[in-house]
Amino acid sequence: MDSFLFALNATLPIFLVILLGWFLRRIGLLTPAFTNVANKYVFQCALPFSLFRSMSSMDFRSEFDPKFCLFCFGVTTVMFLGVWGISWLALKNRALVGAFAQASVRSSAAILGIAMAENIYGSAGMVPMMIMASVPFFNAYSVVILTFSPHVDENGQLIPPAPEENLWKKTLCNVAKNPIIIAILLGIPFSLFSIPIPTLAQTFISQVAGSATTIALLVVGATFTGLDSFRNWKPTLAATLIKLFLLPALFLPLAAWFGFRNSALIAILIMVGGPTTVSCFVMAKQMGGDAKLTAQAVALSTLVSSLSITLWVFLLHHFCLI
């Protein structure tokens, strides 16, 4: 019973804020124009401030865990390549391969990871390190998968993959310009060399950072548009089950065996078992992937994750891992 209450206290407030965002969007209080601007504010300003605060305030010399970072990188690589390979073998419709593989793996790591860790431990904990070790590769691998997977043109004709010129250069540039990654890297010297931050600056950073989680969760709820006609329901359901149940079932025991506990394990849970991020839809649409399938995977995984994440938190607490 204690583990069940612990899981509810850890997850329910987060999903209630998401539900509030959906409700406010339904009654017209949050408009599409507002959510677009708020989404940019979160990813380009508030979330980077939050991650800079978390990274700069930690004792990098004693808390940096190379084993944890290597684990996150290795699992990210195995997940993307493994699911991509399975997609090629299992999907008869080759046009779905890129979108399916991306939607089955890529998590909303920053938003839910920080929210979950702060809700349980009062700080972001190991989430910034997880983001540093995995999110750049989320972006890079997604670009590669969508580029080297076939898609359909406006007439529904299958187009073989045609990699862009300088693909790796463009991908690395996009990762290097990511404000979340920049914020983490900027915070490392302050932590590593114990550089003091003036009280005025600390207060300013904390006020901006404090707005990140709530606004981000409201925007997630406001952008939830439902499952529409639920076309391609089989691959949508399969992607959701892989994302929320199969990957955590494979990698959480492995993480526990490696000795990761508490906020490190929460960070890994969100990395492998968080719902599909909305960024997948944007990338699939821009790169010729099946945007409809991706949107449905985002919607369904967000809906089901309220149950799945609660279940995983319950199990981790029951076995005294968090």
Side-chain angles (χ1 to χ4, degrees):
M1 188 63 180
D2 288 343
S3 295
F4 178 69
L5 292 176
F6 178 88
L8 285 183
N9 288 330
T11 59
L12 192 57
I14 293 171
F15 290 104
L16 285 177
V17 177
I18 293 176
L19 182 61
L20 176 63
W22 173 82
F23 174 73
L24 294 177
R25 171 71 179 89
R26 294 286 292 179
I27 65 175
L29 192 58
L30 297 184
T31 63
F34 171 82
T35 55
N36 287 336
V37 173
N39 192 50
K40 290 180 181 178
Y41 165 75
V42 168
F43 281 99
Q44 296 180 16
C45 183
L47 202 53
F49 269 75
S50 177
L51 290 165
F52 173 81
R53 180 184 62 175
S54 298
M55 185 60 72
S56 62
S57 62
M58 70 185 298
D59 186 348
F60 194 83
R61 293 178 186 274
S62 62
E63 295 182 36
F64 176 69
D65 189 344
K67 184 174 77 168
F68 175 79
C69 292
L70 286 173
F71 181 86
C72 291
F73 165 72
V75 167
T76 298
T77 302
V78 171
M79 286 193 305
F80 268 93
L81 297 182
V83 173
W84 191 23
I86 292 172
S87 304
W88 275 103
L89 296 175
L91 291 175
K92 295 180 180 179
N93 185 352
R94 297 297 188 192
L96 301 180
V97 168
F100 177 86
Q102 184 194 204
S104 299
V105 179
R106 194 173 174 188
S107 294
S108 183
I111 293 175
L112 281 184
I114 291 175
M116 192 75 67
E118 289 182 343
N119 212 24
I120 298 174
Y121 299 106
S123 68
M126 297 293 287
V127 173
M129 285 195 184
M130 178 272 288
I131 293 172
M132 182 175 64
S134 63
V135 169
F137 301 100
F138 279 2
N139 295 326
Y141 290 145
S142 294
V143 170
V144 172
I145 284 174
L146 289 169
T147 300
F148 286 92
S149 298
H151 56 276
V152 294
D153 60 16
E154 296 178 354
N155 300 317
Q157 298 297 315
L158 193 66
I159 302 174
E164 289 185 45
E165 220 176 304
N166 300 320
L167 171 65
W168 285 107
K169 183 178 179 180
K170 292 180 181 179
T171 302
L172 290 173
C173 285
N174 288 334
V175 171
K177 291 187 293 185
N178 188 318
I180 291 176
I181 304 302
I182 293 173
I184 292 174
L185 294 177
L186 286 176
I188 291 177
F190 286 85
S191 172
L192 188 60
F193 301 109
S194 300
I195 301 173
I197 300 176
T199 302
L200 179 63
Q202 283 185 354
T203 303
F204 168 69
I205 292 170
S206 295
Q207 288 179 341
V208 177
S211 67
T213 300
T214 301
I215 295 178
L217 294 176
L218 287 172
V219 169
V220 170
T223 53
F224 184 87
T225 57
L227 303 176
D228 299 324
S229 61
F230 208 31
R231 179 178 63 88
N232 290 326
W233 68 269
K234 288 183 178 179
T236 301
L237 181 59
T240 300
L241 292 176
I242 290 171
K243 186 75 204 70
L244 302 181
F245 295 99
L246 178 60
L247 295 179
L250 290 175
F251 293 110
L252 285 178
L254 184 64
W257 183 77
F258 269 91
F260 300 121
R261 299 291 186 271
N262 300 319
S263 67
L265 208 50
I266 289 295
I268 293 169
L269 166 61
I270 296 301
M271 181 183 75
V272 301
T276 304
T277 178
V278 178
S279 303
C280 284
F281 170 75
V282 177
M283 187 171 287
K285 194 170 184 178
Q286 290 178 344
M287 298 191 63
D290 194 311
K292 187 76 170 180
L293 170 63
T294 309
Q296 291 173 172
V298 170
L300 185 60
S301 65
T302 301
L303 182 65
V304 179
S305 66
S306 60
L307 300 175
S308 65
I309 292 180
T310 302
L311 171 64
W312 291 118
V313 170
F314 166 78
L315 291 174
L316 292 176
H317 188 263
H318 178 73
F319 288 105
C320 301
L321 298 173
I322 60 174

